[in-house]
Amino acid sequence: MKLNLRIFYSLFFFSTINICNAQTKIAGKADFADAKHYKTDSVFKNVMIDTNIFNIRVARKSDADESTKKELALSITTADKNKVLLQQYFDQNEYRLFKINNDKLNSTGKLFLEVIFNGGGSGYNGSCFEIASRNDTVKLVPVYNFDELSLLYFSSDNEIIKLEGIWNFKEDESHFSEHRYSVTKINFTNATFKSTGLGNTKFKYEMADGEHALKKLLLLMKKKEPLLLKTLELK
């Protein structure tokens, strides 16, 4: 199985936010009741969600439109465009669609959506959802929340390790200082994602910068604090 890592910090975020946007980008009207307030950003055609095929459209609020506070609009339709299955609006102003084991959205595997609020500078925060197709419906299943100090390790579609940096202002820590981390294990079970807190690290560690660095960081944590990370299997 291909090893996949997702790391969220400012430089990585700006370099990857449009990866999925480059796959299929088509101009057109949005599938929303208040479409006049939004401009289409991207259309993703023939996206596989579980074992079904759909089209996904993402639209952005018009810059000069102050009649709505929702920045993004998401619409999911059947592949023949005859039926709208989901419409969702978000306060966040950026997004990313991705699968863990493949860059193509028409491949197998869970489909994830991240929506991110970025107000400028190095700080940001967001939420991740699985877009799921179950029992003839399409819905968003919450997975995790994140910010600029979050490190996410996807061991599979069904297990994610989240490291959340603990910013200690009393010790004069900066954004890129070494931090202690809270460790959370996120597992998919009974059609939902369940988070289990494993505790906080005793030692401080550098922020991981890249995929290999994150795996190296987790292995170092497991070596120095085996009781905290004893349930983690790094593949």
Side-chain angles (χ1 to χ4, degrees), residues 12 15 20 50 63 66 81 87 89 92 97 160 165 170 183 188 190 209 213 216 218:
F12 182 85
S15 66
C20 289
D50 296 316
D63 292 339
E66 297 298 331
K81 302 180 183 178
Q87 294 180 352
Y89 297 86
Q92 293 88 344
L97 283 165
I160 306 163
K170 294 181 179 180
V183 184
F188 181 75
N190 297 324
D209 184 6
K216 185 177 179 180
L218 288 167

Side-chain angles (χ1 to χ4, degrees), residues 62-74:
S62 300
D63 292 339
D65 194 333
E66 297 298 331
S67 61
T68 177
K69 299 299 182 183
K70 301 297 183 180
E71 296 288 338
L72 295 175
L74 172 77

Side-chain angles (χ1 to χ4, degrees), residues 85-230:
L85 299 174
L86 178 70
Q87 294 180 352
Q88 187 73 42
Y89 297 86
F90 300 96
D91 295 324
Q92 293 88 344
N93 55 12
E94 295 291 350
Y95 70 95
R96 188 166 73 104
L97 283 165
F98 65 96
K99 293 198 173 190
I100 300 306
N101 289 320
N102 203 307
D103 291 335
K104 296 182 179 179
L105 299 184
N106 61 359
S107 62
T108 59
K110 286 184 171 63
L111 176 65
F112 295 96
L113 166 70
E114 289 175 351
V115 288
I116 306 103
F117 175 77
N118 191 298
S122 61
Y124 61 88
N125 61 77
S127 299
C128 180
F129 303 89
E130 179 201 0
I131 302 179
S133 171
R134 302 186 184 109
N135 300 322
D136 297 321
T137 63
V138 175
K139 62 181 181 179
L140 300 182
V141 180
V143 183
Y144 55 77
N145 297 320
F146 62 92
D147 58 32
E148 68 272 18
L149 292 184
S150 300
L151 305 177
L152 282 304
Y153 175 99
F154 285 76
S155 54
S156 71
D157 273 350
N158 300 317
E159 182 178 277
I160 306 163
I161 307 304
K162 178 184 177 185
L163 303 179
E164 183 64 34
I166 301 171
W167 203 327
N168 192 328
F169 294 99
K170 294 181 179 180
E171 297 180 10
D172 295 325
E173 292 180 359
S174 67
H175 185 154
F176 295 104
S177 296
E178 292 186 347
H179 300 284
R180 296 181 181 88
Y181 289 88
S182 63
V183 184
T184 302
K185 194 174 189 179
I186 304 170
N187 290 102
F188 181 75
T189 179
N190 297 324
T192 190
F193 287 87
K194 180 181 179 182
S195 296
T196 303
L198 302 182
N200 299 337
T201 64
K202 295 180 180 178
F203 302 102
K204 291 186 178 183
Y205 300 89
E206 292 182 357
M207 289 284 289
D209 184 6
E211 295 183 357
H212 297 296
L214 177 52
K215 184 175 182 180
K216 185 177 179 180
L217 171 61
L218 288 167
L219 289 171
L220 177 62
M221 287 182 175
K222 193 166 186 177
K223 180 178 180 180
K224 294 183 67 173
E225 307 186 48
L227 294 180
L228 177 62
L229 303 178
K230 64 181 178 180

Side-chain angles (χ1 to χ4, degrees), residues 24-35:
T24 307
K25 192 165 185 177
I26 304 173
K29 294 195 296 184
D31 306 307
F32 312 107
D34 53 352

